[in-house]
Every structure is written in C-alpha cells, then in structure tokens.
Amino acid sequence: MRLILLGPPGGGKGTVAKKLEEEFNIPVISTGVILREEIERKTRLGKKVQNIMSKGELVPDEVIKEIMRERIKLEDCKGGYIFDGLPRNIKQAESLEKINKERNEHIDYVFYFEIPFAAVIERLINRRVCKKCNTNYNLLFNHPQKDNICDICGGELYQRDDDKKETIKNRLKVFTEQTLPLKKYYQEKNLLTMIDANWNAFLKIKNILKGLQK
Ligand code: ADP
Ligand code: ZN
C-alpha cells in the first residue's frame, strides 16, 4: 500500500502518518524529517539545505528525487510506504511517477488534508517536536504530560526553526503556489480523497484502507 498525505503544513499529516505506520506496518517517509537529520548531522546536504529550509522555501527537486529514489529501495518499503509532505510540486510528482513506473509500482491513495490557513498558523506556532522520535505535540490541544518531554520516548521537545510567524506565512505562500496544484493533478488521476483535518482524520483513513485490504 503506497500512500501520499498532502496538505498545508500544520494540518496534522505527521501525526496521522505515525498512527498509520503503526496500524499498517509500513514506514513513514518524510523528506522534512530526513532533511532536518542531515542538518543536525552537519552533512554536506544539510549545509546546502539549511538556509533554504529556515526561509520556508522548497529545497531543489533534484535533491528530493534522489531521496525518494534511494529511500523506497530499502527493504522496509517492500509492503509500501506513507509519504508525508511529499511530493511538494508537480515536478516532484512526475519524478515519483517515473520512479514508480521503473519499479512496476503505483500510488494507491492520496489523502488531501483540508484545513483553514488561520488554523494552520495557530497550530504551527504552538507546535513542538521530539528531537529523538519526531513525534509532534501542540501546546494548545495536544500537550505533553511533562513540559518539554516526549510522552513516548522521553526525548527533549523543541520548536522548529521554521515554525516562526514570518516563515510560516512564506510556507503557506509556497504551499499555495507550488503544492496546491497537486490536488488537481491527483484528482485527475482519480487518486485523491479529501479528509477534514480537524475531524478524526486517522480513523477515516484507516477505515478506507481497511476496505482496500480486504
Ligand atoms: P511541514 O509539513 O510542517 O511544512 P516538512 O517537515 O514537511 O514540514 O518540511 C519542512 C521543510 O523542509 C519545507 O519547508 C521545505 O523547506 C523542506 N522540504 C521538505 N520536503 C520537501 C520536498 N518534498 N520538496 C522541497 N522541500 C521540502
Ligand atoms: Zn520522542
């Protein structure tokens, strides 16, 4: 089962992706997480993308293409995967399609998380992320049990560099201009399902996919 979670930043894709990973035993692939790890490890790639990411711009398509190609080759993707926050534009979607074709594979579902931008800004400003396991928390409606500590792994929580008000605005602009066109793209391929990001997105997706598995 190969899934894509599409939608504005802060729509809860990451949280739902983690639950789906557990439920269906297929890995979440988030280019955001992979790139932040590169930055943390101060690799060449990390240095290349750090500035771009802190401004909320998209990193070059070539970089993403290579990450996709290499990542889905790994053993754990045999039964499928969950793409969280990628592809981010038409070019990346076309690359993915090409890679899939070469592998004789295809995407089964694209879920579009619908959420008003006003809600996104509030969610992102209050978002905290676990340094160790990348679980997302929200100081308003999904507070960790202990301040700044991950409930799941005890790791330290931090605020992402790009979760600042000015950067958030730019990310939403980039989203509207570059990522939103993917909605139509996948609609035309009959792959798109709309999901209300506020209302039990995980359960809804799970039920759809259970139907698929039978
Ligand atoms: P969010 O969903 O909250 O925006 P991500 O972790 O998905 O966060 O992305 C964070 C940043 O990483 C993006 O703003 C962008 O700079 C970079 N990034 C992640 N995935 C991609 C991608 N597929 N293409 C281009 N840039 C990406
Ligand atoms: Zn954790």
Side-chain angles (χ1 to χ4, degrees), residues 176-201:
T176 306
E177 289 171 1
Q178 303 192 47
T179 310
L180 201 54
L182 287 176
K183 202 164 137 184
K184 187 157 165 262
Y185 178 90
Y186 284 119
Q187 218 155 23
E188 284 170 354
K189 294 185 186 295
N190 268 327
L191 287 173
L192 196 80
T193 303
M194 300 297 278
I195 296 290
D196 182 340
N198 274 319
W199 187 245
N200 245 336

Side-chain angles (χ1 to χ4, degrees), residues 93-105:
E94 287 170 351
S95 298
L96 175 61
E97 211 172 312
K98 197 161 154 252
I99 294 170
N100 274 334
K101 227 174 229 151
E102 285 164 14
R103 300 173 55 82
N104 240 329
E105 294 175 350

Side-chain angles (χ1 to χ4, degrees), residues 27-69:
V28 178
I29 299 176
S30 157
T31 33
V33 169
I34 292 171
L35 293 168
R36 277 189 293 280
E37 276 166 10
E38 296 284 333
I39 293 175
E40 180 83 5
R41 283 171 29 224
K42 299 189 165 54
T43 61
R44 247 178 84 182
L45 176 57
K47 282 177 188 150
K48 182 173 165 181
V49 300
Q50 182 158 29
N51 197 24
I52 302 173
M53 284 175 69
S54 71
K55 285 191 289 196
E57 302 289 334
L58 295 186
V59 311
D61 293 333
E62 271 311 303
V63 171
I64 299 297
K65 190 171 151 189
E66 275 322 293
I67 294 177
M68 284 194 293
R69 192 193 291 286

Side-chain angles (χ1 to χ4, degrees), residues 61-91:
D61 293 333
E62 271 311 303
V63 171
I64 299 297
K65 190 171 151 189
E66 275 322 293
I67 294 177
M68 284 194 293
R69 192 193 291 286
E70 293 309 309
R71 183 61 188 85
I72 63 178
K73 270 188 199 161
L74 300 185
E75 184 68 23
D76 64 340
C77 291
K78 262 197 167 155
Y81 48 75
I82 305 157
F83 272 7
D84 166 18
L86 79 146
R88 279 291 229 272
N89 59 26
I90 302 276
K91 188 102 186 288

